[in-house]
């Protein structure tokens, strides 16, 4: 199964406006968020366009965890209300939100493993000016904000 990463919008130079979830659990020194599913809001500051990435996972028959990314126009599956008075197609999201100031995206890379014709995504790394957002799959998806560049990520799958 080869996934076409080229269909995702280019995010370099965009802003990560928030990490949303039904419920976020926070822990640790670096700042680690845990949830079973995330919705990331991305904004292009030049065009004012915004979109969402739904980050989810599944476990295959071999017990391997796969990270799934879907680009979408709404923050589904989270509850939300469209607020046309604020801006067309603007959403008020009902759920937990995490926002941080260092949110200008320099690069997003996907890692995992390659097996014959199969590419399995297990990790996303967002590179910002002074920090990294490291998203790793599992029954509770880990989103770690850190100053240190993550290593031992597996095979390189894609870059945006």
């Amino acid at each position: 199964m080869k996934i076409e990463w080229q269909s995702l919008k280019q995010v370099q130079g965009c802003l990560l406006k928030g990490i949303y979830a039904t419920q976020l659990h926070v822990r640790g020194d670096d700042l680690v968020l845990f949830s079973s599913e995330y919705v990331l809001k991305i904004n292009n500051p030049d065009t004012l366009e915004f979109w969402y990435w739904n980050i989810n996972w599944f476990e295959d028959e071999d017990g391997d965890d796969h990270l799934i990314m879907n680009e979408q126009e709404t923050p589904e599956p989270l509850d939300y209300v469209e607020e046309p008075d604020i801006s067309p197609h603007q959403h008020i999201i009902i759920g937990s939100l995490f926002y941080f100031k260092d949110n200008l995206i320099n690069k997003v890379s996907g890692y995992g493993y390659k097996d014959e014709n199969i590419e399995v995504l297990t990790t996303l790394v967002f590179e910002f000016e002074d920090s990294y957002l490291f998203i790793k799959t599992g029954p509770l998806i880990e989103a770690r904000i850190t100053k240190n560049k993550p290593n031992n990520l597996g095979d390189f799958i894609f870059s945006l």
Side-chain angles (χ1 to χ4, degrees):
M1 177 175 84
K2 183 159 174 76
I3 298 172
E4 295 297 326
W5 305 110
Q6 298 86 354
S7 66
L8 297 172
K9 291 180 182 169
Q10 198 54 244
V11 295
Q12 186 176 14
C14 292
L15 303 172
L16 179 59
K17 297 299 284 183
I19 301 171
Y20 296 87
T22 302
Q23 187 175 29
L24 288 172
H25 300 274
V26 182
R27 162 199 107 188
D29 299 329
D30 276 343
L31 187 57
V32 184
L33 308 172
F34 291 100
S35 185
S36 60
E37 181 173 26
Y38 293 101
V39 174
L40 309 179
K41 183 176 182 180
I42 300 170
N43 172 250
N44 183 324
D46 296 329
T47 66
L48 303 181
E49 177 186 20
F50 67 90
W51 60 93
Y52 300 93
W53 281 1
N54 180 321
I55 309 292
N56 206 330
W57 75 283
F58 75 92
E59 182 178 342
D60 66 17
E61 60 277 355
D62 295 328
D64 295 324
D65 295 332
H66 298 237
L67 196 62
I68 305 169
M69 294 173 43
N70 290 313
E71 191 169 279
Q72 53 196 43
E73 294 181 11
T74 65
E76 293 176 357
L78 300 177
D79 291 331
Y80 67 95
V81 176
E82 256 190 68
E83 198 53 62
D85 295 338
I86 297 173
S87 171
H89 307 292
Q90 186 69 279
H91 304 106
I92 296 174
I93 301 171
I94 302 163
S96 296
L97 162 67
F98 182 78
Y99 173 80
F100 51 103
K101 289 184 179 182
D102 185 22
N103 65 347
L104 179 64
I105 301 169
N106 290 333
K107 184 177 174 183
V108 175
S109 300
Y111 298 88
Y113 62 89
K114 298 177 184 181
D115 184 15
E116 296 176 18
N117 292 334
I118 298 173
E119 291 180 337
V120 175
L121 181 67
T122 60
T123 307
L124 285 175
V125 177
F126 286 76
E127 295 182 27
F128 303 105
E129 188 68 32
D130 295 319
S131 64
Y132 298 87
L133 170 61
F134 167 81
I135 299 176
K136 184 176 179 184
T137 190
L140 281 177
I141 301 170
E142 175 185 332
R144 179 181 300 266
I145 295 121
T146 180
K147 297 281 186 192
N148 302 317
K149 185 173 184 168
N151 53 25
N152 300 323
L153 301 171
D155 297 329
F156 176 78
I157 305 284
F158 74 92
S159 180
L160 297 171

